[in-house]
Amino acid sequence: MNKFLLAVHVLAAIVAVGPVTVAASMFPPSARKALAEPGDAQALSTVRVLHRICRVYATVGVAVPVFGFATAKNMGVLGDTWLIVSIALTALAAIVLAALVLPRQTALMEGMEGMEESIAEGVGGGGQGAAYAGASRVGPRDTARLAMFTGLFNLLWATVTILMIVRPGSTTGA
């Protein structure tokens, strides 16, 4: 049973966390491109797809700690320091993703969509588009901040992965 749970835990991590880390890392440069070319529908479409990947796979990623706890319980390592640190870092990574990465992606995407609407309506005409464009300003500084939080998220997951492989102080073998 241990091998089955461990295999499902590792597969869930690969299938769920992998796409989030890649898509989240691709989002800031894609957003910068979309901001630099406001009329480029393909660039905005790319940003939308990357954001959807992050949201969907973040939800699927809940399976990783579920199977991780089941595996740890069966192996009798729930009290091991390496596992407790991994659990804390996983929780921190989830908080960074849910509170810092996904909301900033949403804000950037909404701001870019607002810019696209403003262009379509003709901002220079003084209509509603001009008012909306002023309220939804997003720029390269926002993408840089998002890149920083995404890097932190990725660093946390890399650290958890290393702890899961090395298992410092573990008596279950490595």
Side-chain angles (χ1 to χ4, degrees):
M1 189 64 156
N2 284 349
K3 289 181 181 183
F4 171 76
L5 288 172
L6 184 59
V8 173
H9 172 62
V10 170
L11 286 171
I14 291 167
V15 170
V17 179
V20 174
T21 58
V22 172
S25 295
M26 291 174 64
F27 190 97
S30 297
R32 278 191 288 277
K33 181 178 185 227
L35 286 168
E37 303 166 15
D40 186 352
Q42 180 65 34
L44 184 57
S45 177
T46 299
V47 169
R48 286 182 184 132
V49 168
L50 291 171
H51 182 58
R52 181 181 302 144
I53 290 169
C54 289
R55 279 192 344 259
V56 170
Y57 282 93
T59 304
V60 173
V62 171
V64 176
V66 168
F67 285 104
F69 274 113
T71 303
K73 183 177 182 228
N74 270 6
M75 292 176 69
V77 296
L78 277 175
D80 287 9
T81 305
W82 66 269
L83 185 65
I84 293 168
V85 171
S86 294
I87 291 168
L89 293 175
T90 298
L92 184 58
I95 291 167
V96 168
L97 182 64
L100 300 172
V101 174
L102 293 176
R104 281 176 169 73
Q105 284 183 351
T106 301
L108 275 162
M109 201 171 57
E110 288 172 354
M112 287 182 273
E113 288 169 346
M115 289 170 60
E116 186 177 73
E117 289 173 13
S118 296
I119 290 169
E121 293 174 8
V123 175
Q128 274 184 304
Y132 189 78
S136 66
R137 296 228 170 145
V138 291
R141 180 175 280 215
D142 299 306
T143 63
R145 206 169 281 126
L146 174 60
M148 176 187 68
F149 291 128
T150 300
L152 175 61
F153 171 76
N154 291 341
L155 182 62
L156 288 166
W157 271 116
T159 304
V160 168
T161 301
I162 291 166
L163 283 171
M164 291 288 163
I165 294 168
V166 175
R167 298 185 289 170
S170 174
T171 58
T172 59

